[in-house]
Amino acid sequence: MNSDLCNRCGSCVGLSNGIITFENKTGKYLPKLHGELSNELADRIWHACSGKEFDFPFYRKKTFGDNINFHNYTGVYRNIYIGHSKNEQIRKNAASGGIISGILAWLLKNKKIDGAVLLRMSENQPWMNEPFIATTKEEILSAAQSKYTISSVNEILPEIEKFDGKLAYVGLPGQVQSIRKLQEINYPSVKNIKYILGPFYGNTLHFSSVKSFLKSYGEKDYTQINKLYFRYGEWPGNMRVELKSNRIIELPKFHANYLIPFHILKNSLLCTDLSNEYTDISGGDAWAPVYEERGKGFSMVISRSEKGQEILDEMIKENEISLNPIEIDEAITMHSHGYDLKKRGTFIRMKYRKWMGLENPDYGYTNKGFSFSRYLMEVMIDIMFIVLGTKPARFLVEKIPPHIIGGIFEKSRTIWKKSTHKIKREKLS
Ligand SMILES: Cc1cc2nc3c(=O)[nH]c(=O)nc-3n(C[C@H](O)[C@H](O)[C@H](O)COP(=O)(O)OP(=O)(O)OC[C@H]3O[C@@H](n4cnc5c(N)ncnc54)[C@H](O)[C@@H]3O)c2cc1C
């Protein structure tokens, strides 16, 4: 399989009894085979792979049944809200409104789960993330916040299988899709998973982003990192590195976004799922001036399954979360940039790839009928990603102080967003 198709969900590693491992996690981060897989194991791994294939319509029906609200961009939804956890500690610690951590803490407190599969920064290697099973509120809170470097959560499948109790699971769309595939064949590793939650997903970055960020500040050795945060402090937060030398490096999130075009995981550009469509509940940032100006974190929350809706209804009744319903059109408009990238851009990119003879994922559906200007816009975006992803471009950007390149990036992004606003919003909802 073409490596661009691998979303690094980690299922192949988790299912392989040690025969497949990820190589070079601070580099290309690709799975490597160390021996022979039995036919049965190879078939199972192939089935679980969501990078190669995930039939959206089939799994939509399997997961949520019929008679459902559905939009091609958001996936299945019961209700869409803007809100936040009412627990100030959870909200302050979290990526946006603390909805995901808040729900997990509530599920645990009410004994609806005994643990949660989450992603935290490693204690031994604080520059790397690692999946684990949280069994206390403190552990749930320790995993809050978004980690923007590659995460392979499903490596933990053997531990999930051994866990004695009910679990919630949090993952990115490719990881969730793989879990849904395993649930469909009643695979034992996933039988404990009762609830699936997940963040929205624009993209992830290679670890080279962290190395490059450090180099720009004159620090060459990433093993000197003591703590790494991607969204530290007041929403939307800062990228922050604390070094063993006590030096602290911090850059506002919107400026640190300059790293995206230089270090993006190519698979992010082949993913068509922005809002984590196969979760029971998913959460993203509430990107709108009215919320951004208030400073504190606000999330967009989508309830999709009956049990997901029940959780939110009970939490509202118990005054644990604040949620205001919004209409689907408002939700799509708020994330028009992301939906355009995923639901239009990806299909155009896949068309270009097909012309070049490159393999594409099979999602069981396609979107088409875009304007000529949208195709042209995609050419510009793709050229930018290709050029900025090269070694010389990465080398050069490290010579510019991040607060300068970050500022330039943010301004250019605003100009680009304004000038492409009409093309992106055309017939969006
Ligand atoms: C890689 C990535 C890209 C994102 N892109 C967008 C975007 O384009 N637009 C948007 O609106 N929102 C995006 N988000 C979501 C956003 O950053 C918040 O995670 C979301 O709003 C939920 O906020 P919260 O306060 O409820 O979550 P929190 O309460 O902070 O909980 C976050 C949960 O997500 C888990 N988690 C964090 N990082 C990862 C990861 N890499 N892999 C698996 N699990 C993880 C943690 O274990 C934690 O349980 C992205 C998140 C990630 C991780």
Side-chain angles (χ1 to χ4, degrees):
M1 180 173 96
N2 182 309
S3 64
D4 293 355
L5 269 58
C6 177
N7 58 33
R8 280 57 165 192
C9 73
S11 288
C12 58
V13 174
L15 293 170
S16 73
N17 303 326
I19 300 175
I20 304 177
T21 59
F22 276 112
E23 288 285 295
N24 195 7
K25 284 191 171 183
T26 56
K28 286 208 166 18
Y29 205 128
L30 279 168
K32 187 170 178 202
L33 195 64
H34 299 282
E36 282 268 313
L37 290 168
S38 66
N39 286 345
E40 195 195 344
L41 198 50
D43 283 350
R44 191 172 308 134
I45 289 172
W46 206 228
H47 173 80
C49 177
S50 58
K52 158 186 74 71
E53 183 265 340
F54 183 76
D55 188 334
F56 275 60
F58 174 81
Y59 283 98
R60 183 156 65 237
K61 199 163 174 197
K62 273 270 160 196
T63 313
F64 304 107
D66 292 317
N67 297 324
I68 40 175
N69 292 329
F70 167 73
H71 191 289
N72 184 18
Y73 285 4
T74 57
V76 168
Y77 63 97
R78 280 169 195 263
N79 282 294
I80 309 181
Y81 308 92
I82 301 295
H84 56 84
S85 166
K86 286 223 168 166
N87 179 319
E88 278 308 312
Q89 186 205 1
I90 293 180
R91 187 180 182 191
K92 213 169 133 220
N93 265 324
S96 21
I99 293 287
I100 295 182
S101 300
I103 291 172
L104 295 170
W106 183 85
L107 287 171
L108 191 70
K109 186 177 83 182
N110 288 285
K111 304 204 171 0
K112 291 180 190 288
I113 56 168
D114 303 293
V117 179
L118 304 178
L119 190 81
R120 67 181 168 201
M121 298 311 288
S122 156
E123 244 177 57
N124 299 334
Q125 295 185 310
W127 50 91
M128 296 302 290
N129 60 51
E130 63 180 17
F132 77 113
I133 298 180
T135 55
T136 63
K137 183 180 170 188
E138 290 65 39
E139 284 180 337
I140 289 172
L141 300 195
S142 77
Q145 293 243 343
S146 301
K147 290 93 189 168
Y148 291 123
T149 44
I150 299 174
S151 65
S152 43
V153 173
N154 295 352
E155 277 189 68
I156 203 178
L157 282 170
E159 272 182 61
I160 298 179
E161 187 168 345
K162 277 190 234 136
F163 187 81
D164 185 17
K166 292 174 285 194
L167 286 170
Y169 169 97
V170 179
L172 300 179
Q175 295 157 358
V176 169
Q177 289 163 11
S178 182
I179 296 293
R180 290 298 187 198
K181 289 178 114 184
L182 290 166
Q183 284 181 331
E184 205 262 319
I185 56 166
N186 293 318
Y187 191 68
S189 292
V190 293
K191 71 177 188 313
N192 297 342
I193 297 177
K194 303 296 171 207
Y195 302 100
I196 300 189
L197 311 179
F200 284 20
Y201 175 65
N203 55 68
T204 32
L205 302 177
H206 281 282
F207 188 76
S208 55
S209 56
V210 176
K211 290 190 208 164
S212 174
F213 181 71
L214 281 183
K215 272 194 206 156
S216 305
Y217 286 95
E219 298 285 345
K220 292 206 173 71
D221 183 4
Y222 64 81
T223 66
Q224 293 307 305
I225 293 177
N226 213 7
K227 291 253 185 233
L228 170 62
Y229 304 89
F230 294 91
R231 294 185 63 164
Y232 183 86
E234 187 114 308
W235 187 87
N238 294 343
M239 181 161 175
R240 173 177 164 116
V241 183
E242 294 173 8
L243 293 162
K244 287 178 184 158
S245 63
N246 291 331
R247 182 175 179 199
I248 293 174
I249 301 170
E250 211 163 328
L251 190 70
K253 177 191 170 353
F254 288 141
H255 284 193
N257 279 347
Y258 84 87
L259 293 163
I260 296 173
F262 295 92
H263 302 278
I264 190 168
L265 174 72
K266 272 195 190 158
N267 182 266
S268 310
L269 297 169
L270 290 178
C271 163
T272 66
D273 186 347
L274 173 77
S275 58
N276 224 332
E277 297 175 32
Y278 292 85
T279 50
D280 294 302
I281 303 170
S282 68
D285 286 283
W287 296 133
V290 55
Y291 302 110
E292 287 167 29
E293 277 161 19
R294 287 190 214 168
K296 288 183 171 178
F298 284 87
S299 295
M300 179 181 288
V301 185
I302 306 185
S303 64
R304 302 179 186 277
S305 64
E306 205 177 328
K307 58 184 173 182
Q309 186 63 49
E310 278 168 13
I311 295 174
L312 297 184
D313 290 343
E314 285 186 46
M315 287 183 76
I316 293 171
K317 238 191 261 161
E318 293 176 20
N319 206 22
E320 295 267 354
I321 38 174
S322 161
L323 292 179
N324 292 317
I326 58 164
E327 293 298 324
I328 180 91
D329 284 359
E330 190 184 343
I332 292 173
T333 306
M334 199 179 282
H335 282 269
S336 55
H337 180 71
Y339 283 121
D340 177 78
L341 182 83
K342 298 280 183 190
K343 295 292 184 185
R344 291 173 170 168
T346 300
F347 288 104
I348 299 175
R349 284 187 287 278
M350 291 206 287
K351 203 169 203 174
Y352 292 159
R353 284 173 64 90
K354 198 171 163 198
W355 290 341
M356 290 188 282
L358 295 170
E359 201 181 350
N360 280 322
D362 180 1
Y363 293 130
Y365 79 112
T366 185
N367 288 342
K368 45 187 162 187
F370 313 122
S371 61
F372 176 71
S373 45
R374 182 63 190 82
Y375 276 93
L376 209 60
M377 188 178 117
E378 196 52 48
V379 172
M380 288 162 73
I381 295 174
D382 293 349
I383 289 175
M384 175 201 65
F385 279 123
I386 291 169
V387 172
L388 298 187
T390 58
K391 274 189 182 161
R394 287 176 176 191
F395 173 81
L396 285 175
V397 78
E398 283 161 18
K399 308 290 162 231
I400 309 170
H403 67 277
I404 294 180
I405 186 74
I408 295 172
F409 181 83
E410 197 186 352
K411 283 218 172 69
S412 324
R413 200 159 182 237
T414 310
I415 295 167
W416 169 256
K417 272 186 169 176
K418 274 193 186 144
S419 55
T420 55
H421 186 87
K422 209 169 145 226
I423 304 173
K424 282 183 188 160
R425 296 238 170 144
E426 208 174 31
K427 294 190 202 144
L428 200 61
S429 53

